[in-house]
């Protein structure tokens, strides 16, 4: 009985997806605001796919009645159909030169077995970047970094950072800093992620690193706030200032709490 309750409660994701889809249609067709429409279509895709994945787990690992299983499969099919419609709308907006839609379309195509090739993804990101999309510049940078073309990667990261992408600014900082992972682990950062890249050169440039960490911090990047705090505490790349270090650490704590609240919203 408890399993069935969980099953039906999950219809809330479908309701959320429907609401987001209808809102997207308003911005798409009534207001002609393609960038906002793309964000709502993307969110609706996520809501419908949440149901798909959740129900798959139910059918695979739980015992439910044949009637509920059939009903569940019908529901699963409906969610998938809704997802495909939202995805098709994102494709249409991509063809209309909507940068936000290009990013979202690439993201959700990756969820399908017949998803885009890496070359097709790259072309979408390139076109979106040319339209001034910060996230697209960041993804191009990641592409070039994976290809070991660091000059191109740095150029793209800088463009992304200039357009307001805090993660790009932070990554640039790590490229001029020695052993970011050691610092993060030693400071017990709650949102710690392992950064696989190391310093760009044999000798770190803490002045440049601190400049980018500060930019990332000012854009609300929590780990950037942790690192600029560390820089002020130790005097790496900036004049040593324990007071400023404490301030940025407290700001990072507030950022972390705020992001945690958003995840549970």
């Amino acid at each position: 009985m408890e399993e069935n309750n969980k099953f039906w409660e999950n219809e809330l994701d479908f309701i959320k997806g429907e609401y987001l889809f209808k809102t997207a249609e308003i911005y798409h067709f009534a207001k002609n605001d393609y960038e906002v429409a793309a964000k709502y279509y993307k969110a609706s895709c996520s809501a419908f796919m949440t149901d798909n994945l959740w129900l798959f787990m139910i059918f695979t690992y739980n015992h439910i009645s044949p009637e509920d299983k059939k009903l569940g499969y019908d529901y699963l099919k409906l969610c998938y159909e809704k997802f495909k419609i939202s995805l098709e709308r994102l494709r249409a907006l991509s063809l209309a030169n909507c940068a936000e839609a290009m990013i979202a379309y690439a993201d959700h195509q990756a969820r399908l077995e017949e998803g885009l090739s890496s070359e097709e993804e790259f072309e979408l990101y390139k076109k979106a970047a040319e339209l001034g999309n910060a996230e697209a510049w960041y993804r191009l940078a990641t592409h070039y970094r994976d290809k070991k073309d660091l000059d191109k990667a740095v150029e793209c990261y800088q463009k992304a950072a200039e357009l307001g992408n805090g993660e790009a600014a932070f990554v640039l900082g790590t490229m001029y800093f020695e052993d970011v992972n050691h610092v993060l682990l030693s400071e017990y950062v709650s949102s710690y992620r392992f950064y696989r890249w190391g310093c760009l050169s044999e000798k770190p440039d803490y002045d440049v690193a601190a400049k980018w960490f500060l930019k990332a911090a000012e854009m609300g990047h929590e780990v950037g706030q942790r690192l600029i705090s560390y820089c002020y505490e130790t005097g790496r790349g900036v004049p040593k200032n324990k007071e400023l270090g404490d301030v940025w650490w407290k700001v990072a704590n507030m950022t972390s709490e705020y992001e945690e609240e958003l995840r549970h919203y």
Side-chain angles (χ1 to χ4, degrees), residues 20-45 86 89-90 93 98 100-101 104:
L20 292 166
F21 181 81
K22 295 297 183 184
T23 304
E25 287 191 315
I26 292 171
Y27 281 99
H28 186 176
F29 299 112
K31 298 186 177 182
N32 293 319
D33 190 334
Y34 292 171
E35 295 290 330
V36 175
K39 291 178 181 179
Y40 279 106
Y41 282 134
K42 178 182 179 180
S44 72
C45 280
S86 291
R89 294 284 175 81
L90 285 171
L93 289 176
C98 174
E100 187 71 34

Side-chain angles (χ1 to χ4, degrees), residues 29 76 153 162 164 186 192 241 265:
F29 299 112
L76 188 66
E162 288 165 5
S186 66
Y192 167 73
N241 189 322
Y265 179 68

Side-chain angles (χ1 to χ4, degrees), residues 1-16:
M1 189 66 183
E2 182 182 353
E3 291 170 353
N4 281 338
N5 285 339
K6 289 181 180 178
F7 173 83
W8 291 116
E9 284 175 5
N10 208 56
E11 281 190 296
L12 292 174
D13 281 320
F14 181 79
I15 294 168
K16 179 182 177 182

Side-chain angles (χ1 to χ4, degrees), residues 34-35 38 90-104 122-138 140 159-160 162-163:
Y34 292 171
E35 295 290 330
L90 285 171
R91 189 184 77 85
L93 289 176
S94 296
L95 294 174
N97 287 330
C98 174
E100 187 71 34
M102 293 173 191
I103 301 295
F122 177 78
E123 287 303 317
L124 274 177
Y125 296 151
K126 187 177 178 181
K127 190 171 182 180
E130 290 168 355
L131 292 168
N133 186 280
E135 179 64 22
W137 279 113
Y138 177 80
L140 284 178
K159 287 185 180 294
E162 288 165 5
L163 289 168

Side-chain angles (χ1 to χ4, degrees), residues 46-115:
S46 297
F48 292 133
M49 286 303 286
T50 296
D51 273 357
N52 276 332
L53 296 173
W54 197 89
L55 287 169
F56 176 78
M57 296 294 289
I58 286 288
F59 298 147
T60 304
Y61 299 110
N62 293 278
H63 299 289
I64 60 175
S65 69
E67 294 78 13
D68 277 349
K69 180 170 277 194
K70 181 182 181 307
L71 188 59
Y73 275 121
D74 289 341
Y75 182 48
L76 188 66
K77 182 180 178 182
L78 178 61
C79 287
Y80 186 69
E81 288 172 353
K82 291 284 188 179
F83 169 82
K84 293 284 281 186
I85 293 170
S86 291
L87 193 62
E88 183 58 31
R89 294 284 175 81
L90 285 171
R91 189 184 77 85
L93 289 176
S94 296
L95 294 174
N97 287 330
C98 174
E100 187 71 34
M102 293 173 191
I103 301 295
Y105 184 67
D107 282 348
H108 287 293
Q109 272 287 347
R111 295 185 171 194
L112 305 176
E113 290 184 11
E114 67 277 13

